[in-house]
């Protein structure tokens, strides 16, 4: 059976610069089935789902539903549900957790503040606290968006949970169906494609140690696509694996070519030229869609700036 993932893998389509973009993730536990637009087509009250979508629009907050791996029979409204908020911008990374009996209280959150990295409304409204347990591994499994997410994502999520990964959750949508199984790891916000259980465990161990595994990485969700590709290119060029030390501080230009400035916490700067290309030959972006040429982010040049150039750039 030919699928969008089969074509993408066969054509060795690059993963870098393909992650969903969100400075802050808001994750709401919701058991039962999910539709293609899960906030309004699940057992979450669709009126609430529409209101949450409207509240988050333009704030940098991306909302997704999560559920534990396994069978998804919904036995009624849960008495309590997990809620997580995570800010992924380096230098201000955090992951907070809460439990709530009333998901309607989420409308009392200050979405604009959450998007800028301020967790206070989450803690005040939901009695949230910093998450001190294992990092989260969110596996996209929403087959209503693309069958590959269910066919490949659900077995991966189940394998992770069965092997003792306490932070394993299924999630509604991470984009890039053709890279399934796709995984988002929090708190740092790096996304991965074509993931396998042993690799995800290595990635999670890296998170515990404050490291970023770059193999299979699609990028950090805090950045737009050119910045994702640029940051990963700097990691490759410099051998830097420490998390939370590289920041995209400037992006000049527009499609199809950008000059991205990446800063290290120690003061070093790099200028990365990223060009938007077309993935050829044509392939489906998702199962059932027509053949197309998905945009790809190609790194043209990586140059560390000299001290004089640093002064000008700053």
């Amino acid at each position: 059976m030919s699928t969008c993932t089969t074509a993408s893998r066969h054509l060795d389509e690059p993963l870098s610069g393909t992650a969903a973009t969100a400075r802050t993730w808001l994750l709401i536990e919701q058991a039962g089935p999910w539709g293609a637009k899960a906030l309004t087509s699940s057992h979450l009250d669709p009126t609430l789902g529409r209101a949450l979508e409207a509240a988050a629009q333009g704030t940098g907050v991306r909302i997704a539903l999560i559920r534990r791996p396994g069978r998804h029979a919904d036995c009624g409204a849960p008495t309590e549900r997990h809620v997580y908020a995570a800010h992924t911008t380096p230098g201000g990374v955090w992951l907070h957790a809460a439990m709530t009996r009333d998901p309607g209280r989420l409308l009392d959150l200050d979405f604009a503040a959450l998007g800028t990295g301020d967790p206070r409304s989450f803690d005040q409204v939901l009695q949230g606290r910093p998450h001190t347990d294992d990092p989260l591994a969110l596996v996209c499994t929403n087959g209503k968006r693309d069958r590959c997410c269910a066919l490949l994502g659900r077995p991966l999520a189940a394998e992770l949970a069965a092997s003792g990964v306490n932070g394993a959750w299924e999630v509604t949508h991470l984009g890039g169906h053709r890279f399934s199984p796709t995984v988002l790891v929090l708190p740092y916000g790096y996304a991965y494609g074509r993931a396998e259980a042993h690799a995800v465990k290595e990635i999670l161990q890296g998170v515990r140690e404050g490291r970023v595994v770059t193999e299979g990485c699609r990028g950090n969700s805090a950045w737009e696509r050119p910045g994702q590709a640029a940051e990963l290119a700097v990691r490759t060029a410099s051998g830097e694996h420490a998390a939370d030390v590289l920041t995209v501080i400037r992006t000049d230009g527009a499609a199809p070519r950008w000059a991205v400035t990446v800063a290290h916490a120690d003061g070093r700067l790099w200028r990365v030229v990223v060009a938007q290309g077309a993935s050829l030959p044509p392939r489906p972006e998702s199962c059932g869609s027509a053949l197309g040429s998905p945009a790809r982010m190609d790194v043209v040049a990586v140059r560390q700036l000299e001290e004089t150039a640093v002064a000008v750039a700053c």
Side-chain angles (χ1 to χ4, degrees), residues 182-257:
T182 59
V183 179
L184 175 71
V185 177
L186 296 174
Y188 294 121
Y190 286 88
Y192 294 83
R194 303 179 187 133
E196 298 180 2
H198 68 88
V200 175
K201 291 177 184 178
E202 180 184 341
I203 291 162
L204 292 174
Q205 184 58 36
V207 172
R208 296 183 190 98
E209 298 171 359
R211 291 185 295 106
V212 175
V213 173
T214 57
E215 185 175 356
C217 190
R218 300 174 62 195
N220 186 327
S221 72
W223 315 127
E224 298 294 335
R225 293 185 62 184
Q228 294 172 14
E231 188 229 11
L232 288 175
V234 169
R235 289 191 177 278
T236 298
S238 65
E240 179 61 80
H241 295 287
D244 215 24
V245 297
L246 292 180
T247 303
V248 174
I249 62 171
R250 181 169 175 172
T251 301
D252 297 309
R257 194 176 183 91

Side-chain angles (χ1 to χ4, degrees), residues 108-121:
D108 295 328
L109 296 175
D110 186 337
F111 282 85
L114 283 174
T116 62
D118 182 350
R120 286 178 294 180
S121 71

Side-chain angles (χ1 to χ4, degrees), residues 74-101:
D74 191 350
C75 301
T79 55
E80 279 195 311
R81 65 183 80 207
H82 291 80
V83 183
Y84 296 97
H87 188 66
T88 62
T89 302
V93 170
W94 50 259
L95 172 61
H96 286 211
M99 301 290 292
T100 186
R101 295 175 180 270

